[in-house]
Structures are given as C-alpha cells and as structure tokens.
Amino acid sequence: MRSAQFDSRGAAQAWVGRNGAPSRLQRPILTSVEGRAVLAATRDDPLVHASAALMLLAGLRPQEVAELRMPDYRPGERRLHTGTVRRPRTIRIAASAAAALDAYLDSQDDAPGEPLLLGVQGTSVVTLFSTAMRTAGLDVRVHDLRRAAMATALEDGTPMQHMEAYFGVTKSGARKDLVPVREGYDAGIAAVLEAEFAS
C-alpha cells in the first residue's frame, strides 16, 4: 500500500532527482508498465536482462553492476554485496532479479574471482542496454531504472535511513537515530520492487 504522504510521483521524483542521477538525465520516472516492458524486452539476452533487473529491481547504478565480482552474490540468500570501497553495502534483492542473475550464471563458466557479469565492464552496460532499448523501440535510458526503483521505494513510505542504506545514498539531512536500520529492512524494499515491476 502506498504511503499517504505522497499523493503523486511528483514528490518522489523531486527527491530522486536530488539523490539519484545527474540533472541532465532528469526525465519522468518509469511507470510499472514501462519497467515491466523493459524486463520483457531484455529477457532473450541473459546478460542484458540480468543487468537491467539489477538496476530496476535492486536499484544498482550501472557502474555498480559493472564492478560486481563472483563473491559478491549469494544465490541461496538472494544477497548482493555492492557499493564503493568507502561505503560498501550488502542488500537482499528481489526474487526476479535473483532469478535473472541465476539464469545468466547458469549459462556461464565462471571462476571465483571473475566479474559477476562478463561483458558489462566500464560503459558497456550503458551501450548494451541502450542498444536493447532501441531494438525494442522503448525510450528508456539506463539511469531511468535506478530512479524508478528509488521512487517506488520512497512512495511506499520507506524511511530515509532505509533508502540511504539500500541505495547507497547519503545526502539526507534526516536524523539517523529516529529510524534505525534494523536487520531485514532490505527484504521489505526488495518485496516492494518485486511487486511493482515483476509480479
């Protein structure tokens, strides 16, 4: 159920605009129908599908997707270790994101230290995604996915401290002691993203 504090995507878009992507990329936030269309359009390419699922259903940045290594993912637990060296985070991801990642990994011969998603290093995740969207005739950019994930979680009433912990955002001026980040907070966000874009 959506939080009563947001009666439109306008408030969420304003917050996400300040915390999600550079201003030059500000566009309307994807709807659930558009997000589902992205996942459907990428389903035939396991690499692009897993990348898109991680950005839309786990809110990862394209660079975070590119930097993932094999030890960063715990399949049975649907946990992903990501973030920067200074601000690492381990989050539970949506079931559909885990399924997309598992399907990709099942098709690969992997070694313990290899990148999790071979072929998406550097800016190639942006290029691969852009090509897939052009082929599908969808006007969706790579940064639209993370912004949609953040707006969806925010609209659901997710506390700012949970938003910051899950998405790796640290710009909020909210007092951190008011809503502690408790064990399991990430499962709630993963469930919200799953329901919005994959169910």
Side-chain angles (χ1 to χ4, degrees):
M1 180 167 97
R2 297 282 183 209
S3 170
Q5 75 186 82
F6 295 106
D7 51 352
S8 74
R9 289 192 84 117
Q13 182 155 348
W15 185 86
V16 171
R18 290 189 302 275
N19 296 292
S23 60
R24 64 183 164 77
L25 296 174
Q26 294 309 303
R27 296 158 41 91
I29 291 178
L30 293 181
T31 65
S32 60
V33 171
E34 292 167 328
R36 290 167 195 244
V38 166
L39 295 177
T42 59
R43 201 166 308 280
D44 290 339
D45 184 331
L47 176 62
V48 177
H49 185 62
S51 300
L54 289 172
M55 291 182 286
L56 181 62
L57 297 172
L60 267 61
R61 298 171 179 90
Q63 190 63 34
E64 290 174 327
V65 171
E67 292 173 354
L68 290 171
R69 312 284 294 171
M70 291 301 294
D72 292 335
Y73 177 56
R74 298 182 211 159
E77 300 174 27
R78 293 188 359 234
R79 292 215 175 264
L80 193 67
H81 181 74
T82 187
T84 64
V85 173
R86 287 182 23 209
R87 292 194 148 338
R89 62 192 196 278
T90 300
I91 57 172
R92 182 179 305 268
I93 60 175
S96 294
L101 196 47
D102 291 343
Y104 171 76
L105 293 174
D106 286 346
S107 70
Q108 302 297 306
D109 294 324
D110 46 278
E114 283 184 345
L116 188 60
L117 298 173
L118 289 171
V120 295
Q121 285 60 54
T123 59
S124 66
V125 67
V126 176
T127 303
L128 289 169
F129 182 78
S130 298
T131 301
M133 292 301 97
R134 274 195 306 275
T135 301
L138 296 174
D139 181 26
V140 179
R141 297 180 188 164
V142 73
H143 294 286
D144 294 342
L145 303 181
R146 174 175 161 84
R147 292 179 62 239
M150 293 172 72
T152 297
L154 188 62
E155 280 187 326
D156 194 64
T158 301
M160 285 300 151
Q161 291 78 1
H162 295 184
M163 292 289 295
E164 292 176 358
Y166 195 87
F167 295 105
V169 176
T170 59
K171 298 179 182 179
S172 170
R175 285 190 43 201
K176 307 253 186 280
D177 58 340
L178 296 180
V179 181
V181 178
R182 293 191 172 98
E183 182 70 28
Y185 83 95
D186 53 349
I189 294 174
V192 166
L193 296 177
E194 177 78 14
E196 185 75 8
F197 297 113
S199 295

